[in-house]
Amino acid sequence: MTTLEVVNEFYDSIFNLKGDGLADIINEDITFNGPFFKANGSKEFIEGMQRWGQLQKTYKILKQFTGENNVCTIYTLNVTSPSGAIVTWDEVDWIETQKGKLLNVRIYFDPRKWAKAIGK
């Protein structure tokens, strides 16, 4: 499987399968860094992604850039807030793989809309 295929399998797992199948495509020592969530290791990562996957409604990939073991993805994300409102923002993910599995995931977005939606 190519790096891009592994990353897109990750998106399918999160957005469509609500976290199912993650264990097969992530490194045991995976790290995740985002505005509202950080994880070190596969257990923390899978638990966090399964929680997050329950809130996500739809996504649309706008562009992906690849290089060796890295993929940068720009996409639009729609998320259900605790009040039931749909919150939309653009997000950028920089994902590094090692031996066909995700190793580092970094996400970047302006968190103000989501913070407002959850009352922070």
Side-chain angles (χ1 to χ4, degrees):
M1 200 178 312
T2 68
T3 298
L4 184 60
E5 289 170 335
V6 171
V7 168
N8 285 333
E9 190 170 321
F10 164 68
Y11 290 128
D12 184 51
S13 176
I14 296 303
F15 295 117
N16 300 322
L17 303 174
K18 306 305 180 206
D20 288 346
L22 278 177
D24 297 333
I25 59 168
I26 63 170
N27 188 296
E28 188 67 29
D29 298 324
I30 190 167
T31 60
F32 177 88
N33 287 296
F36 292 106
F37 169 60
K38 296 187 183 337
N40 290 299
S42 60
K43 184 177 184 223
E44 281 183 20
F45 180 77
I46 289 171
E47 288 172 356
M49 289 294 104
Q50 287 173 332
R51 281 191 310 272
W52 185 241
Q54 300 305 314
L55 301 172
Q56 298 177 9
K57 296 301 256 178
T58 61
Y59 74 108
K60 180 180 178 186
I61 292 177
L62 305 173
K63 186 72 175 172
Q64 289 183 300
F65 304 91
T66 62
E68 291 189 33
N69 295 327
N70 292 275
V71 175
C72 179
T73 304
I74 303 168
Y75 59 100
T76 299
L77 182 62
N78 296 300
V79 178
T80 305
S81 73
S83 70
I86 302 296
V87 182
T88 302
W89 64 77
D90 290 330
E91 186 164 311
V92 176
D93 295 355
W94 173 17
I95 300 175
E96 179 185 359
T97 66
Q98 182 182 65
K99 297 181 182 178
K101 294 187 176 197
L102 276 62
L103 179 64
N104 294 304
V105 178
R106 299 169 190 94
I107 65 168
Y108 303 93
F109 67 93
D110 182 344
R112 290 177 288 189
K113 283 185 185 179
W114 184 244
K116 184 177 178 182
I118 61 173
K120 291 194 176 209

